[in-house]
Amino acid sequence: MTIEQLQARVAQLEEQVAALSVQALAAETAPSGYAKSKYSVEEMDALLDKVAAKG
């Protein structure tokens, strides 16, 4: 393998590593399912009804 071929291969591998890094960062920041709350949907509805009634 020539130096030019090695340099081209290194450049190709660097691009692959950069693409994988972007994918890994995207996977880390993506939502991992449903949000959790300390209030049930029914409790939130009741509180919103109270606020709406006052306004």
Side-chain angles (χ1 to χ4, degrees):
M1 194 175 260
T2 67
I3 294 291
E4 290 80 15
Q5 289 172 322
L6 284 173
Q7 288 173 332
R9 182 67 178 138
V10 167
Q12 181 185 31
L13 291 172
E14 286 175 338
E15 288 177 13
Q16 289 176 348
V17 168
L20 289 171
S21 295
V22 169
Q23 288 176 355
L25 286 173
E28 288 177 10
T29 57
S32 61
Y34 292 100
K36 295 180 181 166
S37 174
K38 65 180 182 177
Y39 299 106
S40 70
V41 173
E42 292 79 11
E43 290 172 313
M44 287 188 266
D45 284 344
L47 289 170
L48 290 170
D49 287 343
K50 284 182 183 179
V51 170
K54 289 182 180 182

